[in-house]
Amino acid sequence: MAEGTRLAVIGAGPAGLAAALAAAARGVHVTVIDSGAEAGGQFYRQPAEGLGARRPQALHHQWRTWERLRDGLGAHIASGRVVHLTEHHVWFVETDLNGFTVHALLGPEQEEPAEVHADAVLLATGGYEKVLPFPGWTLPGVVTAGGAQAMLKGGLVLPGRTAVVAGTGPLLLPVATGLAAAGAEVAALVESADPKAFVRQGGTFAAYPAKIAEGAQYAAELLRHRVKTLVHHTVVEAHGGDRLSAVTIAALDADGRVRPGTERRIPCDTLAVGHGMLPHTDLAEALGCRIDGLGVHVDDEQRTDVPGVWAAGETTGIGGAALSLAEGHIAGRSIAARLSGAEPDPRGWAAAARTRTKLRKFFAAVDGAYAPPAHWTELITDDTVVCRCEEVTGGAIREAVGELGAGDVRTVKLLTRAGMGWCQGRVCGPAVAGLAGCELTPSRRPFARPVPLGVLARAGESEEP
Amino acid sequence: MSSRTPLELADARPGPAFTVTLDGREIEALPGQTVAAALWAAGVTSWRTTRGEGRPRGVFCGIGVCFDCLVTVNGRPNQRACLLPLNPGDAIRTQEGTGHDG
Ligand SMILES: Cc1cc2nc3c(=O)[nH]c(=O)nc-3n(C[C@H](O)[C@H](O)[C@H](O)COP(=O)(O)OP(=O)(O)OC[C@H]3O[C@@H](n4cnc5c(N)ncnc54)[C@H](O)[C@@H]3O)c2cc1C
Ligand code: FES
């Protein structure tokens, strides 16, 4: 049917893989492009092959689903229907008369360019972690919660012996249990959300038995590893010289302020900290796709408002692996139909659509229940580094806001250089917005990756006659 | 369930370890490990100092987003240690500032 049509899937996580399988099964030629050496994305991150892991599932949840995705991908690669390009970092997607050209840089050094031509593109680039600053958060030994998990799943290493896992959100649970199972002593799991918020959302949560079972499983694992969980607490400060040696945590009051006198110091050499996730939207922004809030806007078929461009998974909003799978599946089926010139029949993906509706609702409730301390900006002292790349302090940002009148992230950036460094504000963006008292908005970056000038100069040359 | 290592948990049988150097000092790395993973395994958590304040940094995001883990490998500065796999004989240098200073 769709014989001869080409789809480029960017991202080999749950969303991208589900879409690739659904489209390939319906006759589309799919190229899956991912910066990683193995398929899997964040949730199904695999140990490097050379490590010879015989029981990688010990670090994972829902391994059966991964086996289905992996075997499906393998079968389609064998039949020539799917090509998987690993270690390809996509920095730009170009639209032209013939469809799309996906521009990537090869390998970890990211200098060698590569191009993929396609009739349709699926953005399945997932998300990255949000971390709000506090004194000491730049010390070696302080890592993002997902980063600790990624290093563990991919490299089979731990950052230290004694860890505190802190912040807010559902990701802290697999991270704490993962670190503990791998031999770290997890001294505490510190969650800033207030249990009362969960009670208020009780009805919504109770409607999802599978999620409750998942939560209970994590609770049992935490208990088994004797991990103490403190709710409505926060990390106030990380201490150390050249590396982390302790953290101070404290209880929060009803307003979300540190309750004086409750501070407690916990010796540790690792702090895994995260305050939720942000969608990766740079490729979508550069393509001109509409962004809704912080995620890529999609319709019921997972189409963006740019013809030929679909998006699925956490790039459209944070909601975990199961939601990413459902969205990817729908996108893949929609793409296969549309590329063959047919109107897709949504009845074909009714089950996935039901899952999608349920899980989006569930994660909206999760989002309401998990929250950083309401007054988190008060923890940022004037000499706390806020922009890690350019070493811009809280004091400098407050000065830009208070004395110089900056009221948005862009003006703060121009006045202080916050967000102008290597990471282009991906890390400090939420903190700068918080200090400036404005909402975080996606910042339009020209490219998704730093690009060597030589590559830029040569890009598009091959298009010329 | 007492103290075990990630390698034991995943029942890993890596290929033979090889030697790389960190500022001239020999350390062992396993096939497939990134610069960051090998350094963590060797107990090293910081391998650069910042341009402004000269503060130590190592892995932060672990997935290539934050650029905190920049390091010089085989004379090439500003490589992301969390993404770059090691090869036998690689020379890792702690990086000062932009890595172009000295
Ligand atoms: C570091 C980290 C660890 C996590 N660990 C867990 C966990 O253990 N348990 C859990 O429940 N949830 C975890 N999550 C949440 C996780 O994001 C989701 O559950 C799920 O993986 C989302 O699926 P996805 O397909 O949307 O995106 P992802 O799984 O994030 O996949 C996106 C893929 O796109 C690739 N990509 C992105 N941009 C580009 C580009 N420009 N060029 C080429 N490739 C690109 C990435 O390399 C990645 O492989 C983690 C998140 C992060 C950030
Ligand atoms: S640790 Fe963030 S880029 Fe390597």
Side-chain angles (χ1 to χ4, degrees), chain B residues 60-83:
Chain B
F60 184 59
C61 75
I63 61 167
V65 171
C66 75
F67 294 80
D68 246 2
C69 64
L70 296 177
V71 72
T72 298
V73 179
N74 299 331
R76 294 162 52 101
N78 297 322
Q79 305 295 303
R80 276 173 280 177
C82 68
L83 299 181

Side-chain angles (χ1 to χ4, degrees), chain A residues 16 36 46 64 88-89 119 122-123 265-266 282 319 359 381 389:
Chain A
Q46 301 300 307
R64 285 268 165 72
H88 279 57
H89 300 252
D119 306 302
L122 170 72
L123 304 170
R265 204 174 163 116
I266 307 178
D282 7 34
L359 287 176
T381 59
C389 299

Side-chain angles (χ1 to χ4, degrees), chain A residues 11 14-15 34-35 41-43 88 90 124-126 146 149 153 171 314 321 324:
Chain A
D34 193 284
S35 51
Q42 300 303 351
F43 189 81
H88 279 57
V90 178
T125 47
Q149 182 82 336
K153 282 181 173 176
L171 182 57
E314 295 201 314
S324 299

Side-chain angles (χ1 to χ4, degrees), chain A residues 52 55 110 144 147 182 388 391, chain B residues 4 10 13 50 52 60 68 80:
Chain A
R55 222 159 54 85
Q110 298 185 33
T144 69
R388 301 172 69 99
E391 298 181 276
Chain B
R4 54 154 104 209
R13 313 279 162 95
T50 57
F60 184 59
D68 246 2
R80 276 173 280 177

